[in-house]
C-alpha cells in the first residue's frame, strides 16, 4: 500500500469516500480494516455523494444492500458474518447485476475465492486521538489519490 493519508475525523473519512464519486470504470472496491476503522463511514460518504439521501448502515445482517444511484447499481457488502464464501452465490448477485454494478465490499477476505479482484483497495486504520489513516492500492489507486487531493486538499 502507498503512503497513508491522515483523516482527522469522521467528516474527513466521509469526504474521502465522496472523492470516489464520478470515477469512471470503477467496479470493485475492497474496504479493509478492523471493526470500527471507518469502512462504513467511508462508504456513506461515497453513497451520499452519488445521491443517496437516506441513512447508510453497514449491511451486517443482510450481507448486501443494493442502491440505484445516478442510473447505476451500487452494492454495499458487509461480509463480516459470512461463514463460507459460497453463501454469496446463493444471493444471486452475479446474475442480478453482472458486471454493471459498483461493489463496495467490507471484509473482502471473507469472500476469498468468490470475489473478483478489486480495482481499488481502501484500508482504514484508527490512529490517535480520533482519526484514521487511509491507505490505497490497486489499479485505480493513482487516480483516486489525485481525486482525493482535488476534492479534499486539506487532508
Amino acid at each position: 500500500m502507498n503512503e497513508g493519508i491522515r483523516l482527522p475525523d469522521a467528516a474527513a473519512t466521509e469526504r474521502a469516500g465522496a472523492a470516489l464519486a464520478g470515477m469512471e470504470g470503477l467496479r470493485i472496491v475492497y474496504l479493509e480494516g478492523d471493526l470500527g476503522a471507518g469502512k462504513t463511514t467511508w462508504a456513506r460518504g461515497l453513497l451520499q455523494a452519488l445521491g443517496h439521501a437516506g441513512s447508510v448502515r453497514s449491511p451486517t445482517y443482510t450481507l448486501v444492500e443494493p442502491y440505484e444511484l445516478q442510473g447505476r447499481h451500487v452494492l454495499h457488502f458487509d461480509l463480516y458474518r459470512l461463514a463460507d464464501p459460497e453463501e454469496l452465490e446463493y444471493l444471486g448477485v452475479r446474475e442480478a447485476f453482472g458486471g454493471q454494478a459498483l461493489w463496495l465490499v467490507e471484509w473482502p477476505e471473507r469472500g476469498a475465492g468468490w470475489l473478483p479482484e478489486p480495482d481499488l483497495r481502501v484500508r482504514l486504520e484508527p490512529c490517535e486521538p480520533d482519526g484514521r489513516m487511509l491507505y490505497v492500492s490497486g489499479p485505480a489507486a493513482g487516480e483516486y489519490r489525485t481525486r482525493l487531493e482535488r476534492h479534499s486538499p486539506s487532508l
Side-chain angles (χ1 to χ4, degrees):
M1 296 236 172
N2 295 327
E3 180 181 329
I5 299 168
R6 180 147 172 40
L7 304 173
D9 53 28
T13 304
E14 287 184 3
R15 286 193 308 276
L20 194 73
M23 210 166 134
E24 296 295 323
L26 197 64
R27 289 191 44 246
I28 311 291
V29 177
Y30 284 3
L31 299 171
E32 302 172 334
D34 292 335
L35 286 171
K39 298 178 296 293
T40 301
T41 303
W42 187 96
R44 179 182 309 118
L46 172 58
L47 291 167
Q48 289 176 343
L50 291 173
H52 180 66
S55 65
V56 175
R57 289 182 286 285
S58 185
T60 303
Y61 294 100
T62 59
L63 294 181
V64 62
E65 184 69 35
Y67 298 88
E68 182 69 32
L69 302 168
Q70 296 181 359
R72 185 171 189 192
H73 296 294
V74 179
L75 302 173
H76 182 194
F77 292 87
D78 183 331
L79 307 183
Y80 183 74
R81 296 190 181 277
L82 194 69
D84 186 309
E86 284 191 21
E87 291 178 42
L88 290 168
E89 200 63 45
Y90 301 125
L91 294 174
V93 174
R94 289 185 204 204
E95 294 79 22
F97 299 104
Q100 303 307 310
L102 170 60
W103 293 14
L104 306 176
V105 185
E106 297 186 35
W107 301 97
E109 64 277 9
R110 309 256 171 130
W114 187 87
L115 293 171
E117 284 297 309
D119 300 305
L120 181 65
R121 195 179 290 266
V122 174
R123 177 157 188 80
L124 293 158
E125 297 177 2
C127 63
E128 296 298 325
D130 299 323
R132 297 169 176 88
M133 290 299 293
L134 169 77
Y135 301 92
V136 295
S137 63
E143 182 179 351
Y144 173 64
R145 288 181 76 88
T146 300
R147 292 177 67 85
L148 184 59
E149 290 168 7
R150 229 178 316 150
H151 192 269
S152 299
S154 63
L155 294 179

